[in-house]
Amino acid sequence: MMITTLLVAVGALATVPAAIASVVYARSSKATKAFFNPVDGGGSWLNNAGGGVGEPLNVVISGFSSPAVLTNDGILNYARAIGFSEECFGIHLGDPMSADLGDGHGAVNQTMELRQDFGFAGVGTCLESLVGGNHFRVYRQNGPKANSGALFLAVSKEQDVTEHHNIVPDGYNVGRDALIASAEGTKRFGGVTYTTKVERMFNLMPVGATGVNHGIAVDGTVALLTVHID
């Protein structure tokens, strides 16, 4: 009953138009590389979740994507197109996680954290906070040693609030694959149309559970998304 009531309330609020920053949507990028391997610059494919463990950076949005996608406003609008949005009423519980992308900046806190919105952009994440679902943290590779402009995402599927939002079994692989399924092809939001090409890069990160948060094993695959605005 509580979930049904929340869905009705969310549906009513979803008619409120989201404020989208005015940006120029370019079709091409000045990037010279899709991304740089963080390990080559002394970084890691795991972020820092505390206690000597981390969560996998298992999705990369290529630096060859349309430049507007790679801005803060751009990634938010794209996220809404593929079923994610800001946290419930902008409220974030828990400390931000940092990541070292090997770009010369060292460990930098996440740019933002976005959650599955169940089709109700801007407010549906309140439901995700209750029943669990997919979410991701965003990191930008733009340092002096490796300035690709690519966005590295730490994607995972989490349990509901009664389980304290812990990651579901196999939640890193499951979360990545769910995001891919939502993103691939043509999607639209806020008057913008996106086309996403997906490439799976096998064994790019270490396979297994060593150093991974919650001891949940990963399969080593990173998804590379190249997103163009049509």
Side-chain angles (χ1 to χ4, degrees):
M1 177 64 71
M2 180 172 62
I3 292 175
T4 301
T5 302
L6 181 58
L7 279 171
V8 171
V10 165
L13 288 171
T15 59
V16 179
I20 301 172
S22 176
V23 294
V24 177
Y25 289 108
R27 292 181 59 89
S28 60
S29 170
K30 294 182 180 179
T32 59
K33 197 164 185 176
F35 68 95
F36 293 90
N37 190 326
V39 176
D40 294 341
S44 174
W45 283 104
L46 296 176
N47 69 11
N48 180 11
V53 296
E55 299 187 342
L57 304 170
N58 47 13
V59 174
V60 176
I61 298 182
S62 167
F64 290 144
S65 299
S66 294
V69 175
L70 303 175
T71 67
N72 287 357
D73 291 318
I75 185 58
L76 175 56
N77 198 69
Y78 176 67
R80 287 172 168 171
I82 64 173
F84 295 82
S85 195
E86 306 104 315
E87 296 188 273
C88 181
F89 298 114
I91 299 171
H92 175 70
L93 299 178
D95 295 329
M97 296 183 184
S98 63
D100 185 346
L101 302 182
D103 61 359
H105 281 326
V108 177
N109 280 344
Q110 63 200 45
T111 299
M112 63 183 72
E113 184 171 349
L114 301 171
R115 296 184 180 277
Q116 188 175 355
D117 63 20
F118 299 96
F120 299 104
V123 290
T125 53
C126 296
L127 180 59
E128 193 277 346
S129 294
L130 226 120
V131 303
N134 226 11
H135 76 304
F136 63 86
R137 306 170 193 271
V138 181
Y139 304 90
R140 180 175 286 111
Q141 189 178 58
N142 62 353
K145 290 171 55 178
N147 187 11
S148 68
L151 300 178
F152 286 63
L153 313 183
V155 188
S156 58
K157 184 174 182 180
E158 61 184 9
Q159 297 174 325
D160 63 32
V161 67
T162 65
E163 297 295 333
H164 309 290
H165 290 165
N166 286 326
I167 307 302
V168 304
D170 199 29
Y172 299 119
N173 297 332
V174 168
R176 176 202 60 214
D177 292 345
L179 186 145
I180 291 172
S182 297
E184 192 166 18
T186 301
K187 310 292 178 180
R188 299 173 181 83
F189 188 85
V192 184
T193 301
Y194 304 93
T195 299
T196 301
K197 178 183 177 182
V198 177
E199 177 185 352
R200 288 177 177 267
M201 301 177 290
F202 300 103
N203 299 313
L204 192 57
M205 69 172 68
V207 177
T210 302
V212 181
N213 199 20
H214 304 294
I216 297 174
V218 298
D219 61 13
T221 298
V222 176
L224 178 65
L225 310 186
T226 304
V227 185
H228 289 295
I229 294 172
D230 297 335

